[in-house]
Amino acid sequence: MKMTDIIMKKRDSETLTREEIKYFVDGYSKCEIPDYQAAAFLMACYFNELSHEETKELTEAMTYSGDVVDLSPISGIKADKHSTGGVADTTTLVLAPLVAACGLKLAKMSGRGLGHTGGTLDKLESIPGVSTALTMEAFIDQVNDIGVAVMGQTMSLCPADKKMYELRDVTATVDNIPLIASSIMSKKLAAGADVIVLDVKTGSGAFMKTLDDAKRLARTMVEIGKLAGKKTVAMVTDMNQPLGRAIGNAMEVQEAIEILRGEREGDLKDVALDLASHLLVLGKKADDKVKALIMLQKAIADGSGIKKFKELVMAQGGDARAIDDFSLFDQPKIKEDYLCQKDGVLAGMDTEKLGMASSVLGAGRAEKEDPIDYAVGIWVEKRLGEPVTKGETLFKIYANDSSKIAEARKLLDEAVTISDRYDGKHQLVYAEIDMDTADEQ
Ligand code: URA
Ligand code: CA
């Protein structure tokens, strides 16, 4: 087999065989295929999109390019959850303890924040003492002991995806649905869970800016999960405004804690409970979503959810007193208000820019190795469609470095649209795609 022939075939819109796809993935992971051929191949895949069958083969080859986690030492059904990435999107921290409190085992491998989106690992590590660098043995023991663990993806998981993603990032081939679907699902399949719930975001703060693309990505991923024998459900949810109120690591953890204590309502709670209810149904802990939601509400009301969160924090080396006493988190030195500049309604929020505003304050990274400031971020006071008046607070800015505030303010200026009316077009949940509906167009 020759790589040039495989590139040519895809360039000419022909269908690749399983062997040809595997040849590329294996060869590229082992550095036997050079970046220039891989780049040409990915660009051919970009213009001549992979079919369902090819996408499945690519996913499988990537899944087995490294270690596949064996979760069989954990008894019962193992669940996993993934979000395509949003802003103020802390659903994992809300749902993980709740589903574990309802008896479902959650073995979660998470990522770090990059660009305008936050990452679960960074958020968790903002709790004093918490580590997410677990050995596989400790991870499995912890899920057996308390029903939930969150760790960083090991280096040996999906090496093909790591190389391909880095190359796509610098060759303008990221935004392609079959390539995104295979990238995400190869990591989920290699992580070893039996049931998977996916949260595909759409809107101004999401990868997928249009609803049609988000639905197509969701269907493609559910189809891949189904073909791999994993029970998979995807929700398509809104990212035209931050999901919660807090954008920033410690702030987001505190918001999640308030939800778990039953002190805070809103979209973040609603989406987290919706995702959690799918997990409980797939994991056979509830017969249907309605019963699952009742179980989850009970876990909030009776305190078993917040108790499970403390167990998770302690198991991963953290100081559980911080859950009851937020003064134990890193604190920002500077707190400023961002005021509304005219009367009207909040008609638009460029959510990506809001994420960037928090990131430039130090909550996120521009480069992979950049340090994070856990204390800083943006608090969002208003929701889309709310009436606003000149001089009232739209955002609270939490900072440590005053020299970064001007850039954050400029991003907030650009992000906000105040008009005399709001078209009211966004909704919280746009679609739910399960294994029976994934193949319907
Ligand atoms: N996230 C991933 O993990 N992979 C992609 O290709 C895009 C987003
Ligand atoms: Ca069908």
Side-chain angles (χ1 to χ4, degrees):
M1 227 176 274
K2 274 183 30 215
M3 194 57 210
T4 17
D5 296 336
I6 297 173
I7 298 168
M8 206 182 308
K9 224 174 145 180
K10 199 68 233 163
R11 184 199 67 185
D12 297 339
S13 297
E14 287 174 47
T15 303
L16 299 175
T17 65
R18 176 189 172 86
E19 289 69 32
E20 287 163 336
I21 291 171
K22 209 169 151 1
Y23 178 86
F24 163 71
V25 171
D26 290 348
Y28 189 52
S29 325
K30 290 186 199 132
C31 302
E32 289 163 9
I33 292 167
D35 281 345
Y36 53 82
Q37 284 188 316
F41 176 72
L42 290 169
M43 192 55 85
C45 294
Y46 183 91
F47 283 115
N48 298 313
E49 274 200 348
L50 296 176
S51 68
H52 261 312
E53 190 61 27
E54 289 173 309
T55 306
K56 178 197 145 223
E57 298 298 355
L58 176 62
T59 310
E60 191 175 312
M62 286 162 73
T63 304
Y64 290 100
S65 68
D67 293 343
V68 173
V69 179
D70 176 14
L71 293 179
S72 63
I74 301 171
S75 60
I77 298 175
K78 278 76 72 179
D80 197 356
K81 170 261 168 191
H82 181 81
S83 161
T84 59
V87 174
D89 176 21
T90 319
T91 56
T92 294
L93 296 187
V94 178
L95 70 80
L98 288 177
V99 298
C102 293
L104 180 63
K105 303 253 171 71
L106 192 78
K108 175 101 181 73
M109 283 199 187
S110 289
R112 299 205 177 267
L114 193 63
H116 73 283
T117 66
T120 300
L121 300 182
D122 299 321
K123 294 175 200 175
L124 267 178
E125 287 174 0
S126 77
I127 303 168
V130 166
S131 166
T132 58
L134 309 183
T135 63
M136 193 48 69
E137 202 186 348
F139 179 70
I140 286 173
D141 283 352
Q142 187 179 319
V143 179
N144 266 327
D145 285 350
I146 65 166
V148 57
V150 182
M151 75 179 275
Q153 189 185 309
T154 60
M155 294 303 286
S156 56
L157 205 83
C158 284
D161 175 64
K162 192 168 176 298
K163 282 200 75 178
M164 285 169 64
Y165 193 78
E166 281 173 13
L167 186 64
R168 286 166 58 211
D169 205 23
V170 293
T171 56
T173 49
V174 170
D175 55 336
N176 175 272
I177 288 171
L179 294 181
I180 297 174
S182 53
S183 165
I184 292 173
M185 289 305 288
S186 63
K187 284 173 280 194
K188 290 292 112 183
L189 299 179
D194 308 304
V195 304
I196 302 164
V197 170
L198 302 162
D199 184 11
V200 179
K201 304 284 182 189
T202 184
S204 64
F207 240 114
M208 297 288 115
K209 305 287 183 209
T210 71
L211 179 55
D212 279 350
D213 280 350
K215 282 187 184 163
R216 198 154 70 84
L217 177 62
R219 280 196 296 265
T220 307
M221 292 196 292
V222 171
E223 195 70 25
I224 292 170
K226 179 175 164 179
L227 291 169
K230 309 278 186 180
K231 284 197 206 164
T232 311
V233 166
M235 290 179 64
V236 178
T237 65
D238 189 59
M239 198 35 71
N240 284 301
Q241 62 185 330
L243 185 57
R245 300 288 182 144
I247 314 174
N249 297 282
M251 296 164 67
E252 291 188 43
V253 171
Q254 291 164 17
E255 187 178 15
I257 291 168
E258 287 171 358
I259 292 171
L260 289 169
R261 283 191 202 139
E263 293 167 359
R264 180 174 285 283
E265 302 298 322
D267 290 350
L268 171 59
K269 177 180 176 181
D270 292 348
V271 171
L273 263 55
D274 224 332
L275 293 165
S277 67
H278 281 295
L279 282 168
L280 292 182
V281 173
L282 291 185
K284 294 196 162 64
K285 295 294 169 192
D287 292 337
D288 57 48
K289 268 189 75 182
V290 175
K291 290 191 181 124
L293 275 173
I294 293 169
M295 289 168 70
L296 293 160
Q297 296 283 8
K298 186 166 168 288
I300 292 177
D302 69 12
S304 56
I306 190 73
K307 182 164 167 283
K308 188 58 74 178
F309 190 65
K310 286 183 186 172
E311 288 175 27
L312 169 66
V313 166
M314 284 188 287
Q316 297 195 201
D319 182 353
R321 291 174 310 167
I323 311 302
D324 300 315
D325 180 0
F326 292 168
S327 74
L328 296 174
F329 284 83
D330 289 354
Q331 302 293 321
K333 290 207 256 323
I334 306 166
K335 293 185 183 176
E336 288 184 4
D337 286 354
Y338 175 97
L339 303 181
C340 186
Q341 287 154 25
K342 61 177 183 183
D343 293 349
V345 291
L346 184 53
M349 285 204 257
D350 184 327
T351 309
E352 186 168 337
K353 289 211 165 107
L354 298 179
M356 283 313 302
S358 173
S359 188
V360 301
L361 291 171
R365 321 181 157 75
E367 305 285 340
K368 228 181 287 176
E369 311 301 328
D370 291 350
I372 289 243
D373 186 343
Y374 295 128
V376 302
I378 305 281
W379 180 266
V380 184
E381 285 285 338
K382 299 283 174 183
R383 306 300 286 165
L384 282 180
E386 266 190 63
V388 291
T389 51
K390 186 174 175 184
E392 80 174 312
T393 302
L394 291 186
F395 303 103
K396 291 196 168 111
I397 299 168
Y398 292 176
N400 273 321
D401 180 347
S402 58
S403 71
K404 293 175 176 164
I405 294 176
E407 191 184 347
R409 280 189 176 274
K410 186 163 174 289
L411 283 159
L412 296 179
D413 286 341
E414 291 166 7
V416 170
T417 307
I418 312 274
S419 316
D420 43 15
R421 58 183 198 88
Y422 169 60
D423 73 9
K425 276 217 184 85
H426 82 282
Q427 61 192 64
L428 192 55
V429 177
Y430 296 97
E432 291 186 349
I433 291 154
D434 62 23
M435 308 220 285
D436 297 324
T437 56
D439 55 1
E440 285 158 19
Q441 293 307 308

